[in-house]
Amino acid sequence: MCGRYVLTLPSEAIQALLNTRNLEESVPRYNIAPTQPVLAVWEQAGRREAKLARWGLVPGWVKDPRDFPLIINARAESMAQKPAFRDALKHQRCAVPATGYYEWQTDAQGRKRPHFIAFRDGRPMIMAGLYATWTGPEGEEIDSLALVTVPANADLAGIHHRMPAFIEGETADLWLDVRNVRAAEAEKVIRPAPEGSLIAHPVSTRVNSAHNDGPDLIAPAIEDVPAPSGKDGQLDLF
């Protein structure tokens, strides 16, 4: 699962990374959380657009988003069968750029320690996503998305059993090309990151609160004992 991530790339770097025809303003964010607007890229009429979308998928067939559960991740193994994802897999695939992301490791006492995870070589991440556009009774539109997850590779299995699906280069092109690449073919590019490609380190439990932001959140933690789940805990967000 992926419940928080970091994006520090400037707009021009995102445009070059994903070959978008437009710029969407991007400021450094070190604690991006569900329900917040996030930067995503998808194709419209064969051209890539950078967009802002709510993190938490709301399919178009939902009557009232307030009555729909918060869906932030789509499991790759079942997304083709789930009503919330199967249409998006066919027609509304997207890419979400990131610098890194957070995952929480649970110890023997049930305490959760956050870790920051990034590519070992420092290159940007592109996470595979599915988006939807919900249209309200007054014609208002809400774009929203979920991140696709896969089983964790050996680098991360000791921290959590799931990880985001990363795409880049040709795999990103195939994933985003909804006009020419069928869902069954797009699914084939979704797989765990190669072993040895990721690095992780513990970080401060300050990241547990979505109100906190700043580069100190990704710095290696000094404290040894994580704060218990509670008012500011990771579980409260969901």
Side-chain angles (χ1 to χ4, degrees):
M1 121 174 239
C2 177
R4 302 284 179 84
Y5 71 95
V6 176
L7 177 60
T8 60
L9 296 173
S11 302
E12 293 79 9
I14 296 171
Q15 184 180 41
L17 179 67
L18 284 163
N19 192 29
T20 64
R21 68 176 179 178
N22 68 313
L23 285 173
E24 185 68 55
E25 183 179 1
S26 177
V27 298
R29 297 170 65 189
Y30 292 87
N31 199 5
I32 300 172
T35 74
Q36 294 179 354
V38 301
L39 185 63
V41 171
W42 58 76
E43 290 194 356
Q44 292 186 324
R47 302 182 69 178
R48 293 184 187 177
E49 297 274 1
K51 301 276 191 175
L52 288 177
R54 174 187 182 268
W55 186 7
L57 188 74
V58 180
W61 44 261
V62 170
K63 291 184 178 180
D64 188 343
R66 294 171 296 183
D67 297 330
F68 194 71
L70 182 63
I71 300 178
I72 64 170
N73 294 150
R75 295 175 70 94
E77 303 94 314
S78 59
M79 60 184 174
Q81 290 78 45
K82 297 290 186 180
F85 307 131
R86 58 192 178 200
D87 287 342
L89 179 61
K90 295 176 183 176
H91 308 296
Q92 295 172 301
R93 303 188 295 265
C94 66
V96 179
T99 304
Y101 75 101
Y102 300 102
E103 194 54 85
W104 278 254
Q105 181 183 39
T106 304
D107 66 17
Q109 288 73 43
R111 299 172 302 189
K112 294 180 179 292
R113 162 51 61 90
H115 288 67
F116 177 68
I117 301 164
F119 277 125
R120 187 177 297 273
D121 62 8
R123 71 183 187 273
M125 292 176 165
I126 305 173
M127 300 182 289
L130 301 172
Y131 78 94
T133 301
W134 180 84
T135 303
E138 303 299 324
E140 67 274 24
E141 292 187 346
I142 300 174
D143 292 327
S144 62
L145 62 82
L147 300 177
V148 178
T149 67
V150 293
N153 67 8
D155 299 338
L156 302 182
I159 297 175
H160 197 274
H161 65 285
R162 304 290 297 180
M163 66 186 298
F166 301 114
I167 52 177
E168 58 187 337
E170 183 180 357
T171 62
D173 293 339
L174 291 170
W175 180 254
L176 291 172
D177 187 0
V178 295
R179 292 200 304 174
N180 301 305
V181 179
R182 297 170 64 88
E185 293 301 311
E187 284 186 274
K188 294 178 181 179
V189 308
I190 300 301
R191 58 179 69 93
E195 293 183 12
S197 63
L198 296 166
I199 190 169
H201 63 255
V203 295
S204 170
T205 54
R206 291 185 67 249
V207 75
N208 290 358
S209 172
H211 296 293
N212 294 327
D213 200 354
D216 59 299
L217 295 183
I218 65 174
I222 298 175
E223 67 270 25
D224 294 324
V225 180
S229 297
K231 182 177 179 181
D232 292 326
Q234 168 73 359
L235 294 180
D236 279 357
L237 184 64
F238 306 125

